[in-house]
Amino acid sequence: MSIANTPTSNDACLSIVHSLMCHRQGGESETFAKRAIESLVKKLKEKKDELDSLITAITTNGAHPSKCVTIQRTLDGRLQVAGRKGFPHVIYARLWRWPDLHKNELKHVKYCQFAFDLKCDSVCVNPYHYERVVSPGIDLSGLTLTGPGPSSARPIKDEYDFDGPQSIPSVEGGHSLQTIQHPPSSNCPAQTEPFPTPSLLPPAEASTSASASSFPPIPAASSTPDYWCSIAYFEMDVQVGETFKVPSSCPVVTVDGYVDPSGGDRFCLGQLSNVHRTEAIERARLHIGKGVQLECKGEGDVWVRCLSDHAVFVQSYYLDREAGRAPGDAVHKIYPSAYIKVFDLRQCHRQMQQQAATAQAAAAAQAAAVAGNIPGPGSVGGIAPAISLSAAAGIGVDDLRRLCILRMSFVKGWGPDYPRQSIKETPCWIEIHLHRALQLLDEVLHTMPIADPQPLD
């Protein structure tokens, strides 16, 4: 909208709302956005200077200085819009600046007199009076992936509390939060730097690395592994388009939201059609943008670089382990420009060997326990040991296959911090099958076959 057509506080509410709707970022539904903007404009109609400040801030994308835009603070600090409650400054910052924003990622600018964290009777909701950070008062350098310990990544908290700045809780305390942030590391390569193109290392060379001594040896790969991974694209729980296979000659592959033909080292999701696509999915797809790059290094380790303007959310057993969490117990939020390792082939190989051996031994012990052949305390009729072994014996081939798969959603996250509890409830996501890992799993299962889990009678 041109400057000449920009409304003022003297215009009708409808005209102002229409103008402000044109500048929303698309993270929320049109209905919710309209209700939130209408509510704000009506509250400001009697405060013309603040309404003009809001119009100026939004229509110029913060290019011109603007005053505080305030509304009355509620008893619990939250604002209800269209049946949903949220912190007011977060709601409007999401609408007009950062669709994937969390409450603890906002810090007010110094000149804001009514910032949410100041706990005044009025709250400033001017999105350009806040800056986005990992957590209020915490420097990004404290959350990089370098340094001692299993991982510098820490869990984050969604907007469930309103009592000022939130500290980031420790993983070691067994905290129930399951979304873990991975911001860009200050010493990672620049986004515009060209990717190296390593060839897959022969096993003999890789086995001499410093870390190799702590892992079991990996069998040599077959002479022709034509593809190093397969990528399937999903919208909610429906696969869209055909699975895309990445040749071994392309160790770096880009998955983006553009409409160019896919092939070789690029999988373009924008050109895939789906007759069942909803408006919400269509909106989310618009924000995939440059997407992500997946890089296969060495024998089969995988690194991810987020090229999108929005975070991606990853399910990675490797990152779970590095963060001290149980496999599948966390969702990892990878920020724009972050470059992070998400899969380690040697660790995966060791884990599948351990799980297969455990399942095999547990199944045999369970059979003996049910038959009453295990003496000792608590072995009345063999029932107690059978129950304690049932979980280990329940490991099946599908459980081991999950070790060889990465899942990644664009724009929208899932888990306890989000309204979506499963990745299958997110609008657009990919599943990456790692061929070398699956090949190793086949070899492990040939040497240690495990039966499908059977329930106790």
Side-chain angles (χ1 to χ4, degrees), residues 222-400:
S222 61
S223 58
T224 56
D226 293 335
Y227 303 97
W228 69 266
C229 77
S230 298
I231 306 173
Y233 169 65
F234 293 82
E235 293 176 358
M236 306 295 279
D237 59 350
V238 177
Q239 181 173 349
V240 177
E242 297 182 0
T243 300
F244 182 80
K245 294 185 177 181
V246 183
S248 298
S249 59
C250 299
V252 178
V253 60
T254 301
V255 183
D256 60 42
Y258 300 127
V259 295
D260 301 316
S262 298
D265 63 352
R266 190 175 177 198
F267 185 19
C268 296
L269 306 179
Q271 46 92 23
L272 299 176
S273 60
N274 177 11
V275 295
H276 301 295
R277 184 171 294 152
T278 64
E279 182 185 351
I281 294 173
E282 193 65 69
R283 282 198 307 271
R285 280 167 50 85
L286 293 175
H287 293 285
I288 296 175
K290 295 179 181 179
V292 296
Q293 279 185 322
L294 308 172
E295 180 180 8
C296 181
K297 287 187 174 183
E299 298 172 283
D301 296 351
V302 179
W303 290 66
V304 167
R305 188 190 300 270
C306 180
L307 302 179
S308 173
D309 292 334
H310 301 276
V312 294
F313 299 81
V314 178
Q315 184 182 70
S316 160
Y317 287 0
Y318 169 77
L319 289 179
D320 292 345
R321 184 185 181 97
E322 291 297 291
R325 308 304 294 256
D329 192 36
V331 178
H332 300 270
K333 183 177 182 180
I334 314 282
Y335 277 76
S337 300
Y339 179 59
I340 182 172
K341 185 177 182 179
V342 294
F343 180 81
D344 186 291
L345 184 65
R346 288 182 172 270
Q347 184 191 91
C348 176
H349 186 222
R350 180 176 63 175
Q351 198 168 355
M352 65 176 65
Q353 284 183 319
Q354 290 173 343
Q355 288 196 19
T358 299
Q360 194 176 45
Q366 181 182 355
V370 170
N373 294 334
I374 296 183
S379 61
V380 181
I383 297 302
I387 293 174
S388 64
L389 291 167
S390 62
I395 297 174
V397 175
D398 285 345
D399 298 291
L400 297 180

Side-chain angles (χ1 to χ4, degrees), residues 93-94 97-102 104-109 127 129-136 140 181 309-311 313 333 335-336 418:
R94 280 177 177 166
R97 296 194 71 182
W98 306 288
D100 59 345
L101 180 72
H102 285 271
N104 63 337
E105 294 174 337
L106 283 182
K107 181 181 180 180
H108 64 270
V109 295
H129 277 204
Y130 295 89
E131 297 171 342
R132 188 174 189 177
V133 294
V134 171
S135 185
L140 279 178
Q181 286 184 334
D309 292 334
H310 301 276
F313 299 81
K333 183 177 182 180
Y335 277 76
Y418 298 90

Side-chain angles (χ1 to χ4, degrees), residues 73 108 112-120 122-124 130:
R73 180 186 288 270
H108 64 270
C112 183
Q113 299 178 335
F114 297 95
F116 180 85
D117 292 331
L118 298 180
K119 298 186 178 179
C120 302
S122 297
V123 178
C124 178
Y130 295 89

Side-chain angles (χ1 to χ4, degrees), residues 71-92:
I71 61 174
Q72 187 71 27
R73 180 186 288 270
T74 61
L75 288 176
D76 69 355
R78 295 185 296 172
L79 178 70
Q80 182 161 326
V81 177
R84 289 166 47 188
K85 274 196 169 186
F87 300 103
H89 64 313
V90 176
I91 289 175
Y92 294 107

